[in-house]
Amino acid sequence: MSSWKKMDKEELEKEYSPSCWSHRMDRSAVIESHIKELTKGTMKGRNEAHTTLDEAYGQGECEKLDIYLPPTPSTASALLIYFHGGYWTMLSKELSGFMVPPLVKAGVIVVAVDYVLAPKGNMDLIVSQVRRSVAYITQQYSAVSGVYVCGHSAGAHLGAMVLCTDWTEYNVTPDIKGALLVSGIYDIRPIVYTSVNHPLQMTEDEAVRNSPMEFANAMKGVAKNSEIVVAVAQYDSNEFRRQSQEYYQAVKAAGFNASFQDISNRDHFDIIEKLVEENYVLTQVLLKMMTRK
């Protein structure tokens, strides 16, 4: 039995409340700081790249992309697709350009994806949207050297769901060469029993079919030799750390090219904020992944 099933409601709630675990500040301050850092980083990204904002990938109100192009893009450019966190209920692509400066400097195209937030959308719709966004992006940028996926927290869950997509129904086969999944949640069944589920109204059946852990041994959306990096923060909760480790182990055991990054002295929030810095360990992981031959 998974350890989360033995927890009482209060313990489960705390384990799946990342803001309770920061070593730097209290829970309200760390969220406020996070939004401030993402805003500042995205403004910097928009100043340093050629941007196409609010490009539609579908008919829905929230089905939009922000595209960041290097000053001198080439057909050999790698393309990174980023899915934001926020527990499927907050944040947006407008706060998702913070990793742009070091990546466009290296010639990478960055695309930040919006998706409908709960309670306007449910989990099935959100997962469908991010999959359609990848299909659209890869059709628009078919000449790139490779497509890479990055996501944080709930965005890492969505990135992992992209990796287990059966692309035949989308009439496209994205050349996904790598993924960086940061402080993610890969079995979303525990969420059903927390306050996070109030806006989602997710059933356990819905959670099972949208849990990447259920598909880790049969990921149809990515090649075996694609590089999958699972990262977690030292000051993530015990459950987030367990989920990251178990997902990595399952992907590795299934024969995929997976590696694990346990980032010291970081919490659930600054582990992703630091992607604005070129010399940060996960920025270097991304750059190395996207430039390897």
Side-chain angles (χ1 to χ4, degrees):
M1 183 190 295
S2 296
S3 57
W4 68 269
K5 291 184 176 179
K6 301 176 183 178
M7 295 179 186
D8 61 32
K9 184 173 179 58
E10 183 178 352
E11 186 180 6
L12 192 66
E13 190 74 24
K14 183 178 180 182
E15 284 290 338
Y16 285 94
S17 299
S19 58
C20 292
W21 296 83
S22 175
H23 62 302
R24 299 177 295 135
M25 55 192 84
D26 67 33
R27 61 182 308 180
S28 59
V30 76
I31 293 174
E32 183 179 342
S33 173
H34 186 53
I35 292 172
K36 181 180 178 181
E37 290 301 313
L38 299 185
T39 301
K40 183 171 68 175
T42 300
M43 288 178 62
K44 182 175 172 63
R46 290 186 175 186
N47 287 333
E48 297 187 13
H50 297 305
T51 60
T52 300
L53 306 179
D54 297 320
E55 181 166 328
Y57 66 85
Q59 300 300 314
E61 177 186 353
C62 298
E63 296 178 355
K64 302 285 178 64
L65 312 166
D66 285 348
I67 302 168
Y68 298 85
L69 295 171
T72 54
S74 73
T75 54
S77 296
L79 187 148
L80 179 76
I81 303 173
Y82 180 72
F83 303 111
H84 68 79
Y87 256 155
W88 311 282
T89 62
M90 60 181 293
L91 303 183
S92 68
K93 66 179 177 57
E94 279 73 28
L95 300 173
S96 300
F98 54 92
M99 81 291 292
V100 165
L103 297 186
V104 296
K105 180 181 175 182
V108 176
I109 300 167
V110 180
V111 180
V113 175
D114 250 359
Y115 47 88
V116 67
L117 300 177
K120 287 187 175 181
N122 61 23
M123 189 60 70
D124 287 330
L125 176 57
I126 292 169
V127 169
S128 171
Q129 285 181 326
V130 298
R131 286 170 164 167
R132 285 190 285 111
S133 78
V134 173
Y136 173 86
I137 294 162
T138 54
Q139 286 171 330
Q140 297 301 306
Y141 290 90
S142 58
V144 296
S145 61
V147 175
Y148 299 82
V149 170
C150 180
H152 170 241
S153 193
H157 157 262
L158 296 174
M161 288 301 292
V162 166
L163 301 185
C164 58
T165 303
D166 182 352
W167 292 110
T168 54
E169 64 180 279
Y170 296 87
N171 298 313
V172 64
T173 306
D175 182 20
I176 299 176
K177 291 187 173 180
L180 173 61
L181 306 174
V182 183
S183 290
I185 176 170
Y186 307 101
D187 176 0
I188 61 174
R189 290 177 299 159
I191 295 301
V192 173
Y193 306 100
T194 71
S195 62
V196 176
N197 197 39
H198 293 168
L200 286 162
Q201 293 295 297
M202 183 169 55
T203 66
E204 182 147 343
D205 284 346
E206 190 177 1
V208 169
R209 66 175 174 263
N210 288 297
S211 284
M213 194 67 182
E214 295 289 316
F215 309 99
N217 64 347
M219 296 192 297
K220 298 180 178 180
V222 63
K224 289 280 188 180
N225 64 347
S226 297
E227 187 174 357
I228 300 171
V229 179
V230 180
V232 70
Q234 178 182 354
Y235 294 102
D236 264 314
S237 76
N238 298 323
E239 275 292 281
F240 270 77
R241 289 180 57 80
R242 176 190 67 80
Q243 287 224 15
S244 294
Q245 290 164 346
E246 291 186 1
Y247 180 71
Y248 155 70
Q249 290 164 357
V251 171
K252 185 78 171 176
F256 290 91
N257 177 22
S259 61
F260 189 77
Q261 291 277 344
D262 193 339
I263 309 300
S264 63
N265 202 36
R266 298 292 169 213
D267 61 30
H268 187 82
F269 303 95
D270 63 350
I271 188 176
I272 196 72
E273 294 164 6
K274 293 293 182 180
L275 282 180
V276 72
E277 300 175 6
E278 185 174 352
N279 293 326
Y280 176 51
V281 58
L282 291 183
T283 310
Q284 288 298 309
V285 165
L286 268 180
L287 289 171
K288 184 179 179 181
M289 180 190 298
M290 292 186 289
T291 57
R292 70 187 176 108
K293 303 301 181 183

